[in-house]
Amino acid sequence: MPIRVQNDLPVKEILEHENIFVMDEYRATHQDIRPIRIGLLNLMPLKEDTELQILRSLSNTPLQVDVTFVHVSSHVSKNTSTSHINKFYVPFSEIKKQNFDGFIITGAPVEQMPFEDVDYWEELTEIMDWTKKNVTSTLHLCWGAQAGLYYHYGIDKVQMDHKLFGVFQHKVMNRKIPLVRGFDDVFMAPHSRHTDVPIEKIRADERLTILAESEDVGIFLAMAMDGRQIFVMGHPEYDRVTLDGEYKRDLSKGLPIEIPKNYYPDDNPDNKPLLTWRATANNLYTNWLNYYVYQATPYDMDGIPDFDWNKHVKND
């Protein structure tokens, strides 16, 4: 899939080196098609790493995707340069009157704080409320999923007695839903979090459908409103060395951290980590873009989304 980004976005060169088709602004304006508009609210501290991971994940369908990077105005990033933010990001206030086909809310390293204590919580609730009317489908990742479940459905997170850290096995719970079409019965996915959303509370809410879960780490994937809201509790977008970097960072700071589970061969951090979730991640993002964004969004983005799956797909 051609991803449309600004010509001088730093991660563009890395994506092209990986043989991912990145379309610059000039070429995109000369194609006679309407690109799919995706907004990315990037709440992660190392924004360029997340940009690369998300753009890589969005690169596996023939659709042209126009990505807009969004930042909150109520928080100043300490780990990404102001010049990068000013050049490649727009504040939510500049897009709030616009419509998007899809929107992604990332995780953030604030999971152990009460939601209301996060300095940009009020702005984030405004954004989540805005997505209900201005976005066809919103994808919430990790802490973003916890925040969405809390704001929309009143289900609060709980503190774990240990960090859920590593790559864990999950099972598909509802194969008839197109979001998990093509998934294996069991699959691997990374997690890195100190908090959890109790799966029994999600099961008890008839507005939510669980699509994948794990005996080790609980909920992985759920959705609501026929796919207008999707919640991913893990980090399928992570690349091979992300958990390795987190582990060695915490070790260097003297923080208590266990070796990520099911990650290093022989549990030896000197060994190259195994990449066991890329195919599943590609499948998840491709299904989201195809079934919940492209096929459901109105052409002019002013109509009503169409989530009648019987017209679009056949079950596995």
Side-chain angles (χ1 to χ4, degrees):
M1 161 175 53
I3 301 172
R4 177 180 172 180
V5 297
Q6 289 179 240
N7 297 348
D8 51 354
L9 182 72
V11 300
K12 178 174 181 284
E13 183 177 348
I14 300 175
L15 292 167
E16 290 174 333
H17 181 72
E18 295 179 5
N19 206 27
I20 293 174
F21 184 12
V22 182
M23 182 178 294
D24 62 29
E25 298 163 301
Y26 176 81
R27 181 169 181 181
T29 58
H30 287 75
Q31 286 200 324
D32 189 23
I33 59 175
R34 182 178 85 73
I36 298 297
R37 294 196 68 202
I38 302 294
L40 172 60
L41 179 64
N42 189 352
L43 302 173
M44 294 293 280
L46 301 177
K47 299 197 183 303
E48 292 185 58
D49 289 354
T50 303
E51 292 164 13
L52 178 60
Q53 292 167 5
I54 297 294
L55 291 177
R56 185 188 287 130
S57 298
L58 295 175
S59 66
N60 291 285
T61 81
L63 305 171
Q64 179 181 318
V65 175
D66 186 350
V67 179
T68 299
F69 297 118
V70 182
H71 72 88
V72 291
S73 300
S74 44
H75 177 81
V76 177
S77 177
K78 299 177 181 178
N79 297 280
T80 302
S81 69
T82 301
S83 61
H84 183 87
I85 299 294
N86 291 339
K87 187 171 186 177
F88 298 109
Y89 283 71
V90 297
F92 171 66
S93 58
E94 288 190 13
I95 64 160
K96 62 190 303 183
K97 294 184 179 179
Q98 301 177 26
N99 294 331
F100 284 79
D101 301 299
F103 201 79
I104 300 172
I105 300 175
T106 73
V110 294
E111 57 177 320
Q112 298 190 75
M113 299 172 59
F115 290 114
E116 290 83 0
D117 288 352
V118 176
D119 57 5
Y120 51 82
W121 177 249
E122 184 175 345
E123 185 175 4
L124 180 58
T125 60
E126 181 186 0
I127 293 170
M128 290 190 290
D129 192 62
W130 166 85
T131 63
K132 293 190 291 186
K133 295 182 179 179
N134 293 71
V135 177
T136 299
S137 180
T138 302
L139 190 65
H140 308 71
L141 302 176
C142 200
W143 180 84
Q146 296 182 3
L149 288 167
Y150 178 65
Y151 177 70
H152 293 297
Y153 302 100
I155 304 175
D156 204 351
K157 57 185 170 62
V158 295
Q159 181 76 33
M160 305 296 292
D161 58 7
H162 65 285
K163 185 176 183 179
L164 302 178
F165 189 45
V167 184
F168 298 91
Q169 181 175 286
H170 307 75
K171 56 184 177 181
V172 174
M173 303 303 296
N174 196 330
R175 187 166 293 283
K176 293 182 179 180
I177 303 297
L179 189 60
V180 292
R181 191 178 191 194
F183 275 47
D184 293 328
D185 290 339
V186 295
F187 62 91
M188 306 299 288
H191 290 257
S192 178
R193 50 191 170 89
H194 294 88
T195 55
D196 191 29
V197 178
I199 193 169
E200 62 272 11
K201 291 189 176 181
I202 298 177
R203 286 198 184 104
D205 195 319
E206 295 181 352
R207 298 169 295 178
L208 295 165
T209 301
I210 296 175
L211 303 182
E213 63 182 58
S214 166
E215 293 182 2
D216 297 314
V217 293
I219 186 73
F220 174 73
L221 182 62
M223 60 178 273
M225 298 176 65
D226 292 329
R228 294 205 67 182
Q229 295 171 347
I230 294 170
F231 306 96
V232 183
M233 202 60 63
H235 281 288
E237 78 283 356
Y238 271 9
D239 59 32
R240 180 192 300 272
V241 296
T242 305
L243 293 176
D244 178 68
E246 292 183 7
Y247 173 64
K248 292 175 179 175
R249 175 202 64 199
D250 288 356
L251 275 183
S252 69
K253 293 181 178 180
L255 298 174
I257 185 68
E258 296 182 358
I259 292 176
K261 296 183 182 300
N262 308 314
Y263 183 56
Y264 299 113
D266 300 322
D267 282 337
N268 184 348
D270 293 329
N271 291 331
K272 182 179 180 179
L274 293 174
L275 180 60
T276 57
W277 62 91
R278 178 61 56 79
T280 296
N282 289 343
N283 206 359
L284 173 64
Y285 281 91
T286 297
N287 286 346
W288 177 61
L289 283 173
N290 183 24
Y291 298 123
Y292 296 83
V293 179
Y294 172 67
Q295 294 199 35
T297 194
Y299 182 81
D300 58 7
M301 289 196 292
D302 290 324
I304 299 173
D306 179 7
F307 288 105
D308 184 355
W309 305 124
N310 292 326
K311 296 192 303 184
H312 300 315
V313 300
K314 295 180 180 179
N315 296 328
D316 285 356

Short mmCIF file of all heavy atoms in Angstrom, two decimals, residues 157-210:
data_model
loop_
_atom_site.label_atom_id
_atom_site.label_comp_id
_atom_site.label_asym_id
_atom_site.label_seq_id
_atom_site.Cartn_x
_atom_site.Cartn_y
_atom_site.Cartn_z
N LYS A 157 -9.10 0.49 34.72
CA LYS A 157 -7.95 -0.42 34.76
C LYS A 157 -7.61 -0.77 36.21
O LYS A 157 -8.03 -0.09 37.15
CB LYS A 157 -6.74 0.23 34.09
CG LYS A 157 -6.33 1.56 34.69
CD LYS A 157 -5.19 2.17 33.88
CE LYS A 157 -4.91 3.61 34.30
NZ LYS A 157 -4.48 3.76 35.68
N VAL A 158 -6.86 -1.85 36.38
CA VAL A 158 -6.40 -2.26 37.70
C VAL A 158 -4.89 -2.44 37.65
O VAL A 158 -4.32 -2.81 36.63
CB VAL A 158 -7.08 -3.57 38.16
CG1 VAL A 158 -8.58 -3.36 38.33
CG2 VAL A 158 -6.81 -4.71 37.17
N GLN A 159 -4.26 -2.19 38.80
CA GLN A 159 -2.81 -2.35 38.91
C GLN A 159 -2.46 -3.83 39.07
O GLN A 159 -3.07 -4.54 39.86
CB GLN A 159 -2.30 -1.56 40.12
CG GLN A 159 -0.80 -1.64 40.33
CD GLN A 159 -0.01 -0.78 39.36
OE1 GLN A 159 -0.48 0.27 38.95
NE2 GLN A 159 1.17 -1.23 38.99
N MET A 160 -1.48 -4.30 38.30
CA MET A 160 -1.01 -5.68 38.41
C MET A 160 0.10 -5.76 39.45
O MET A 160 0.78 -4.78 39.74
CB MET A 160 -0.48 -6.16 37.05
CG MET A 160 -1.47 -6.02 35.91
SD MET A 160 -2.94 -7.04 36.14
CE MET A 160 -2.24 -8.67 35.98
N ASP A 161 0.29 -6.96 40.03
CA ASP A 161 1.36 -7.13 41.01
C ASP A 161 2.71 -7.37 40.33
O ASP A 161 3.75 -7.45 41.00
CB ASP A 161 1.04 -8.27 41.97
CG ASP A 161 0.81 -9.61 41.26
OD1 ASP A 161 1.03 -9.67 40.03
OD2 ASP A 161 0.41 -10.58 41.93
N HIS A 162 2.71 -7.50 39.00
CA HIS A 162 3.95 -7.62 38.24
C HIS A 162 3.68 -7.10 36.83
O HIS A 162 2.54 -7.04 36.39
CB HIS A 162 4.43 -9.07 38.18
CG HIS A 162 3.50 -9.98 37.43
ND1 HIS A 162 2.29 -10.42 37.96
CD2 HIS A 162 3.57 -10.51 36.18
CE1 HIS A 162 1.68 -11.19 37.07
NE2 HIS A 162 2.43 -11.26 35.99
N LYS A 163 4.74 -6.72 36.15
CA LYS A 163 4.59 -6.20 34.79
C LYS A 163 4.31 -7.34 33.82
O LYS A 163 4.98 -8.37 33.84
CB LYS A 163 5.85 -5.45 34.37
CG LYS A 163 5.74 -4.77 33.02
CD LYS A 163 6.99 -3.97 32.69
CE LYS A 163 6.83 -3.24 31.37
NZ LYS A 163 8.03 -2.43 31.01
N LEU A 164 3.30 -7.15 32.97
CA LEU A 164 3.03 -8.09 31.88
C LEU A 164 3.98 -7.73 30.75
O LEU A 164 3.78 -6.73 30.05
CB LEU A 164 1.56 -7.99 31.44
CG LEU A 164 0.52 -8.25 32.54
CD1 LEU A 164 -0.89 -8.07 31.99
CD2 LEU A 164 0.69 -9.64 33.11
N PHE A 165 5.02 -8.52 30.57
CA PHE A 165 6.14 -8.12 29.73
C PHE A 165 6.65 -9.31 28.94
O PHE A 165 7.13 -10.29 29.51
CB PHE A 165 7.25 -7.56 30.63
CG PHE A 165 8.38 -6.90 29.91
CD1 PHE A 165 8.17 -6.02 28.87
CD2 PHE A 165 9.70 -7.17 30.28
CE1 PHE A 165 9.22 -5.39 28.22
CE2 PHE A 165 10.76 -6.56 29.65
CZ PHE A 165 10.52 -5.67 28.61
N GLY A 166 6.47 -9.24 27.62
CA GLY A 166 6.94 -10.31 26.77
C GLY A 166 6.00 -10.55 25.60
O GLY A 166 5.19 -9.70 25.24
N VAL A 167 6.11 -11.74 25.03
CA VAL A 167 5.29 -12.13 23.88
C VAL A 167 4.46 -13.33 24.31
O VAL A 167 5.02 -14.35 24.72
CB VAL A 167 6.18 -12.48 22.66
CG1 VAL A 167 5.31 -12.79 21.45
CG2 VAL A 167 7.14 -11.34 22.36
N PHE A 168 3.14 -13.20 24.20
CA PHE A 168 2.25 -14.19 24.80
C PHE A 168 1.31 -14.81 23.76
O PHE A 168 0.99 -14.19 22.74
CB PHE A 168 1.42 -13.54 25.92
CG PHE A 168 2.26 -13.02 27.04
CD1 PHE A 168 2.71 -11.70 27.03
CD2 PHE A 168 2.61 -13.83 28.11
CE1 PHE A 168 3.49 -11.21 28.06
CE2 PHE A 168 3.39 -13.35 29.15
CZ PHE A 168 3.83 -12.03 29.12
N GLN A 169 0.87 -16.02 24.06
CA GLN A 169 -0.05 -16.74 23.17
C GLN A 169 -1.49 -16.31 23.45
O GLN A 169 -1.90 -16.16 24.59
CB GLN A 169 0.09 -18.24 23.38
CG GLN A 169 -0.81 -19.09 22.47
CD GLN A 169 -0.55 -20.56 22.62
OE1 GLN A 169 0.46 -21.07 22.15
NE2 GLN A 169 -1.44 -21.27 23.30
N HIS A 170 -2.24 -16.12 22.36
CA HIS A 170 -3.65 -15.72 22.44
C HIS A 170 -4.48 -16.66 21.57
O HIS A 170 -3.97 -17.31 20.66
CB HIS A 170 -3.85 -14.30 21.94
CG HIS A 170 -2.96 -13.29 22.61
ND1 HIS A 170 -1.62 -13.18 22.32
CD2 HIS A 170 -3.22 -12.36 23.56
CE1 HIS A 170 -1.10 -12.20 23.06
NE2 HIS A 170 -2.05 -11.70 23.81
N LYS A 171 -5.77 -16.68 21.84
CA LYS A 171 -6.67 -17.48 21.02
C LYS A 171 -7.81 -16.61 20.50
O LYS A 171 -8.28 -15.70 21.18
CB LYS A 171 -7.23 -18.66 21.80
CG LYS A 171 -7.96 -18.29 23.09
CD LYS A 171 -8.40 -19.54 23.84
CE LYS A 171 -9.07 -19.18 25.17
NZ LYS A 171 -9.49 -20.38 25.94
N VAL A 172 -8.23 -16.90 19.28
CA VAL A 172 -9.34 -16.18 18.66
C VAL A 172 -10.65 -16.67 19.26
O VAL A 172 -10.88 -17.87 19.40
CB VAL A 172 -9.34 -16.39 17.13
CG1 VAL A 172 -10.58 -15.77 16.49
CG2 VAL A 172 -8.07 -15.80 16.51
N MET A 173 -11.53 -15.72 19.62
CA MET A 173 -12.77 -16.06 20.30
C MET A 173 -14.01 -15.96 19.40
O MET A 173 -15.03 -16.56 19.69
CB MET A 173 -12.97 -15.14 21.51
CG MET A 173 -11.82 -15.18 22.50
SD MET A 173 -11.49 -16.84 23.12
CE MET A 173 -13.03 -17.18 23.97
N ASN A 174 -13.94 -15.19 18.34
CA ASN A 174 -15.12 -14.97 17.51
C ASN A 174 -14.69 -14.84 16.05
O ASN A 174 -14.50 -13.74 15.53
CB ASN A 174 -15.88 -13.72 17.97
CG ASN A 174 -17.28 -13.67 17.42
OD1 ASN A 174 -17.55 -14.18 16.33
ND2 ASN A 174 -18.19 -13.07 18.15
N ARG A 175 -14.52 -15.99 15.40
CA ARG A 175 -13.96 -16.01 14.07
C ARG A 175 -14.88 -15.41 13.01
O ARG A 175 -14.45 -15.08 11.91
CB ARG A 175 -13.59 -17.45 13.69
CG ARG A 175 -12.85 -17.59 12.39
CD ARG A 175 -12.23 -18.95 12.25
NE ARG A 175 -11.16 -19.16 13.20
CZ ARG A 175 -9.94 -18.65 13.07
NH1 ARG A 175 -9.66 -17.86 12.05
NH2 ARG A 175 -9.02 -18.90 13.96
N LYS A 176 -16.15 -15.22 13.31
CA LYS A 176 -17.08 -14.67 12.33
C LYS A 176 -16.88 -13.16 12.11
O LYS A 176 -17.40 -12.61 11.15
CB LYS A 176 -18.52 -14.93 12.77
CG LYS A 176 -18.91 -16.40 12.77
CD LYS A 176 -20.37 -16.59 13.17
CE LYS A 176 -20.76 -18.06 13.14
NZ LYS A 176 -22.19 -18.26 13.51
N ILE A 177 -16.14 -12.53 12.99
CA ILE A 177 -15.93 -11.09 12.88
C ILE A 177 -14.77 -10.83 11.90
O ILE A 177 -13.68 -11.41 12.05
CB ILE A 177 -15.60 -10.47 14.25
CG1 ILE A 177 -16.74 -10.76 15.24
CG2 ILE A 177 -15.38 -8.97 14.12
CD1 ILE A 177 -18.07 -10.16 14.86
N PRO A 178 -14.94 -9.96 10.90
CA PRO A 178 -13.91 -9.76 9.88
C PRO A 178 -12.57 -9.25 10.41
O PRO A 178 -11.55 -9.44 9.76
CB PRO A 178 -14.54 -8.73 8.94
CG PRO A 178 -16.01 -8.91 9.10
CD PRO A 178 -16.21 -9.28 10.54
N LEU A 179 -12.55 -8.63 11.59
CA LEU A 179 -11.29 -8.09 12.10
C LEU A 179 -10.28 -9.20 12.34
O LEU A 179 -9.06 -8.96 12.25
CB LEU A 179 -11.54 -7.32 13.40
CG LEU A 179 -10.37 -6.52 13.94
CD1 LEU A 179 -9.91 -5.46 12.94
CD2 LEU A 179 -10.72 -5.86 15.26
N VAL A 180 -10.72 -10.42 12.64
CA VAL A 180 -9.79 -11.52 12.89
C VAL A 180 -9.81 -12.52 11.73
O VAL A 180 -9.35 -13.65 11.87
CB VAL A 180 -10.10 -12.24 14.23
CG1 VAL A 180 -9.79 -11.32 15.39
CG2 VAL A 180 -11.54 -12.72 14.29
N ARG A 181 -10.31 -12.11 10.61
CA ARG A 181 -10.31 -12.99 9.44
C ARG A 181 -8.87 -13.33 9.04
O ARG A 181 -8.01 -12.45 8.95
CB ARG A 181 -11.02 -12.32 8.26
CG ARG A 181 -11.29 -13.27 7.12
CD ARG A 181 -12.02 -12.59 5.99
NE ARG A 181 -12.49 -13.58 5.02
CZ ARG A 181 -12.94 -13.29 3.81
NH1 ARG A 181 -12.99 -12.03 3.43
NH2 ARG A 181 -13.35 -14.24 3.00
N GLY A 182 -8.60 -14.60 8.84
CA GLY A 182 -7.26 -15.04 8.46
C GLY A 182 -6.33 -15.28 9.63
O GLY A 182 -5.19 -15.73 9.43
N PHE A 183 -6.76 -15.00 10.86
CA PHE A 183 -5.93 -15.29 12.03
C PHE A 183 -5.84 -16.80 12.24
O PHE A 183 -6.78 -17.54 11.98
CB PHE A 183 -6.55 -14.67 13.29
CG PHE A 183 -6.20 -13.24 13.54
CD1 PHE A 183 -6.26 -12.29 12.52
CD2 PHE A 183 -5.82 -12.82 14.80
CE1 PHE A 183 -5.96 -10.97 12.75
CE2 PHE A 183 -5.51 -11.49 15.05
CZ PHE A 183 -5.58 -10.56 14.02
N ASP A 184 -4.69 -17.24 12.76
CA ASP A 184 -4.59 -18.62 13.23
C ASP A 184 -5.42 -18.77 14.51
O ASP A 184 -5.74 -17.79 15.18
CB ASP A 184 -3.14 -18.98 13.52
CG ASP A 184 -2.29 -19.02 12.26
OD1 ASP A 184 -2.84 -19.36 11.19
OD2 ASP A 184 -1.09 -18.68 12.34
N ASP A 185 -5.76 -20.02 14.85
CA ASP A 185 -6.52 -20.26 16.07
C ASP A 185 -5.80 -19.71 17.30
O ASP A 185 -6.41 -19.18 18.23
CB ASP A 185 -6.78 -21.75 16.27
CG ASP A 185 -7.77 -22.31 15.26
OD1 ASP A 185 -8.54 -21.52 14.70
OD2 ASP A 185 -7.76 -23.54 15.05
N VAL A 186 -4.47 -19.85 17.33
CA VAL A 186 -3.65 -19.25 18.38
C VAL A 186 -2.56 -18.43 17.70
O VAL A 186 -2.09 -18.76 16.61
CB VAL A 186 -3.03 -20.31 19.31
CG1 VAL A 186 -4.10 -21.04 20.08
CG2 VAL A 186 -2.17 -21.30 18.53
N PHE A 187 -2.19 -17.34 18.34
CA PHE A 187 -1.19 -16.44 17.76
C PHE A 187 -0.44 -15.75 18.88
O PHE A 187 -0.88 -15.69 20.03
CB PHE A 187 -1.85 -15.42 16.83
CG PHE A 187 -2.83 -14.50 17.51
CD1 PHE A 187 -2.42 -13.28 18.06
CD2 PHE A 187 -4.17 -14.85 17.63
CE1 PHE A 187 -3.32 -12.45 18.70
CE2 PHE A 187 -5.08 -14.02 18.28
CZ PHE A 187 -4.65 -12.81 18.82
N MET A 188 0.71 -15.17 18.54
CA MET A 188 1.55 -14.48 19.50
C MET A 188 1.43 -12.97 19.32
O MET A 188 1.21 -12.48 18.21
CB MET A 188 3.02 -14.90 19.34
CG MET A 188 3.27 -16.40 19.40
SD MET A 188 2.80 -17.16 20.96
CE MET A 188 4.10 -16.53 22.03
N ALA A 189 1.60 -12.24 20.43
CA ALA A 189 1.59 -10.78 20.38
C ALA A 189 2.31 -10.22 21.60
O ALA A 189 2.24 -10.80 22.69
CB ALA A 189 0.16 -10.24 20.31
N PRO A 190 2.99 -9.08 21.45
CA PRO A 190 3.73 -8.48 22.57
C PRO A 190 2.81 -7.71 23.52
O PRO A 190 1.81 -7.11 23.11
CB PRO A 190 4.71 -7.51 21.88
CG PRO A 190 4.64 -7.82 20.43
CD PRO A 190 3.29 -8.40 20.18
N HIS A 191 3.20 -7.70 24.79
CA HIS A 191 2.58 -6.85 25.81
C HIS A 191 3.69 -6.23 26.64
O HIS A 191 4.74 -6.84 26.86
CB HIS A 191 1.67 -7.67 26.74
CG HIS A 191 0.42 -8.16 26.09
ND1 HIS A 191 -0.81 -7.57 26.29
CD2 HIS A 191 0.21 -9.21 25.24
CE1 HIS A 191 -1.73 -8.23 25.59
NE2 HIS A 191 -1.13 -9.23 24.95
N SER A 192 3.43 -5.02 27.13
CA SER A 192 4.37 -4.34 28.01
C SER A 192 3.58 -3.34 28.85
O SER A 192 3.40 -2.19 28.47
CB SER A 192 5.45 -3.61 27.18
OG SER A 192 6.34 -2.92 28.02
N ARG A 193 3.08 -3.80 30.00
CA ARG A 193 2.20 -2.93 30.80
C ARG A 193 2.14 -3.41 32.25
O ARG A 193 2.33 -4.58 32.55
CB ARG A 193 0.80 -2.89 30.20
CG ARG A 193 0.17 -4.25 29.89
CD ARG A 193 -1.11 -4.10 29.06
NE ARG A 193 -1.59 -5.38 28.56
CZ ARG A 193 -2.42 -6.18 29.21
NH1 ARG A 193 -2.90 -5.81 30.40
NH2 ARG A 193 -2.81 -7.33 28.70
N HIS A 194 1.84 -2.44 33.12
CA HIS A 194 1.69 -2.71 34.56
C HIS A 194 0.23 -2.80 34.98
O HIS A 194 -0.05 -3.11 36.13
CB HIS A 194 2.35 -1.60 35.38
CG HIS A 194 3.84 -1.52 35.23
ND1 HIS A 194 4.46 -0.79 34.24
CD2 HIS A 194 4.84 -2.10 35.95
CE1 HIS A 194 5.77 -0.91 34.36
NE2 HIS A 194 6.02 -1.69 35.38
N THR A 195 -0.68 -2.48 34.08
CA THR A 195 -2.10 -2.45 34.42
C THR A 195 -2.89 -3.31 33.44
O THR A 195 -2.41 -3.67 32.37
CB THR A 195 -2.64 -1.01 34.39
OG1 THR A 195 -2.35 -0.41 33.10
CG2 THR A 195 -2.00 -0.16 35.48
N ASP A 196 -4.11 -3.61 33.83
CA ASP A 196 -4.96 -4.48 33.02
C ASP A 196 -6.41 -4.01 33.15
O ASP A 196 -6.77 -3.32 34.10
CB ASP A 196 -4.84 -5.93 33.51
CG ASP A 196 -5.49 -6.92 32.56
OD1 ASP A 196 -5.54 -6.63 31.35
OD2 ASP A 196 -5.94 -7.99 33.03
N VAL A 197 -7.22 -4.38 32.17
CA VAL A 197 -8.67 -4.17 32.26
C VAL A 197 -9.30 -5.53 32.51
O VAL A 197 -9.13 -6.45 31.69
CB VAL A 197 -9.22 -3.55 30.96
CG1 VAL A 197 -10.73 -3.39 31.06
CG2 VAL A 197 -8.57 -2.20 30.70
N PRO A 198 -10.00 -5.72 33.63
CA PRO A 198 -10.54 -7.04 33.96
C PRO A 198 -11.43 -7.60 32.85
O PRO A 198 -12.41 -6.97 32.46
CB PRO A 198 -11.34 -6.78 35.24
CG PRO A 198 -10.71 -5.57 35.84
CD PRO A 198 -10.29 -4.72 34.67
N ILE A 199 -11.07 -8.77 32.37
CA ILE A 199 -11.78 -9.34 31.24
C ILE A 199 -13.23 -9.67 31.59
O ILE A 199 -14.12 -9.59 30.73
CB ILE A 199 -11.03 -10.58 30.69
CG1 ILE A 199 -11.59 -10.98 29.32
CG2 ILE A 199 -11.09 -11.74 31.67
CD1 ILE A 199 -10.74 -12.01 28.61
N GLU A 200 -13.50 -10.01 32.86
CA GLU A 200 -14.87 -10.33 33.24
C GLU A 200 -15.79 -9.11 33.13
O GLU A 200 -16.99 -9.25 32.84
CB GLU A 200 -14.91 -10.92 34.65
CG GLU A 200 -14.44 -10.00 35.75
CD GLU A 200 -12.94 -10.08 35.99
OE1 GLU A 200 -12.24 -10.70 35.16
OE2 GLU A 200 -12.48 -9.53 37.02
N LYS A 201 -15.24 -7.92 33.34
CA LYS A 201 -16.05 -6.71 33.19
C LYS A 201 -16.36 -6.43 31.73
O LYS A 201 -17.43 -5.90 31.40
CB LYS A 201 -15.34 -5.52 33.84
CG LYS A 201 -15.26 -5.62 35.35
CD LYS A 201 -14.75 -4.34 35.96
CE LYS A 201 -14.76 -4.43 37.49
NZ LYS A 201 -14.29 -3.18 38.12
N ILE A 202 -15.42 -6.76 30.86
CA ILE A 202 -15.68 -6.60 29.43
C ILE A 202 -16.70 -7.62 28.96
O ILE A 202 -17.62 -7.30 28.20
CB ILE A 202 -14.36 -6.73 28.64
CG1 ILE A 202 -13.40 -5.61 29.05
CG2 ILE A 202 -14.63 -6.69 27.13
CD1 ILE A 202 -12.05 -5.69 28.37
N ARG A 203 -16.59 -8.85 29.45
CA ARG A 203 -17.58 -9.88 29.09
C ARG A 203 -18.98 -9.49 29.55
O ARG A 203 -19.97 -9.81 28.89
CB ARG A 203 -17.20 -11.22 29.74
CG ARG A 203 -16.03 -11.92 29.10
CD ARG A 203 -16.01 -13.38 29.52
NE ARG A 203 -14.84 -14.07 28.99
CZ ARG A 203 -13.77 -14.39 29.73
NH1 ARG A 203 -13.74 -14.07 31.01
NH2 ARG A 203 -12.74 -15.02 29.18
N ALA A 204 -19.07 -8.80 30.67
CA ALA A 204 -20.37 -8.45 31.24
C ALA A 204 -21.04 -7.29 30.53
O ALA A 204 -22.23 -7.04 30.74
CB ALA A 204 -20.21 -8.12 32.73
N ASP A 205 -20.31 -6.58 29.69
CA ASP A 205 -20.87 -5.43 28.98
C ASP A 205 -21.31 -5.87 27.59
O ASP A 205 -20.49 -6.19 26.73
CB ASP A 205 -19.83 -4.31 28.87
CG ASP A 205 -20.45 -2.97 28.48
OD1 ASP A 205 -21.34 -2.97 27.59
OD2 ASP A 205 -20.05 -1.94 29.05
N GLU A 206 -22.62 -5.88 27.37
CA GLU A 206 -23.16 -6.37 26.10
C GLU A 206 -22.79 -5.48 24.91
O GLU A 206 -22.94 -5.89 23.76
CB GLU A 206 -24.68 -6.49 26.20
CG GLU A 206 -25.14 -7.54 27.21
CD GLU A 206 -26.66 -7.65 27.26
OE1 GLU A 206 -27.34 -6.81 26.62
OE2 GLU A 206 -27.15 -8.57 27.95
N ARG A 207 -22.29 -4.30 25.17
CA ARG A 207 -21.89 -3.40 24.08
C ARG A 207 -20.53 -3.77 23.51
O ARG A 207 -20.15 -3.27 22.44
CB ARG A 207 -21.86 -1.96 24.59
CG ARG A 207 -23.20 -1.42 25.06
CD ARG A 207 -23.04 -0.10 25.78
NE ARG A 207 -22.28 -0.25 27.03
CZ ARG A 207 -21.96 0.77 27.83
NH1 ARG A 207 -22.32 2.00 27.50
NH2 ARG A 207 -21.28 0.54 28.95
N LEU A 208 -19.80 -4.65 24.21
CA LEU A 208 -18.44 -5.01 23.81
C LEU A 208 -18.36 -6.47 23.38
O LEU A 208 -19.01 -7.33 23.97
CB LEU A 208 -17.47 -4.77 24.97
CG LEU A 208 -17.31 -3.31 25.41
CD1 LEU A 208 -16.64 -3.23 26.78
CD2 LEU A 208 -16.50 -2.53 24.38
N THR A 209 -17.57 -6.73 22.35
CA THR A 209 -17.35 -8.09 21.84
C THR A 209 -15.88 -8.42 21.94
O THR A 209 -15.03 -7.70 21.39
CB THR A 209 -17.80 -8.21 20.38
OG1 THR A 209 -19.19 -7.89 20.28
CG2 THR A 209 -17.58 -9.63 19.86
N ILE A 210 -15.55 -9.50 22.64
CA ILE A 210 -14.16 -9.94 22.75
C ILE A 210 -13.82 -10.80 21.54
O ILE A 210 -14.51 -11.76 21.21
CB ILE A 210 -13.94 -10.74 24.05
CG1 ILE A 210 -14.18 -9.84 25.26
CG2 ILE A 210 -12.53 -11.32 24.09
CD1 ILE A 210 -14.09 -10.56 26.59
#
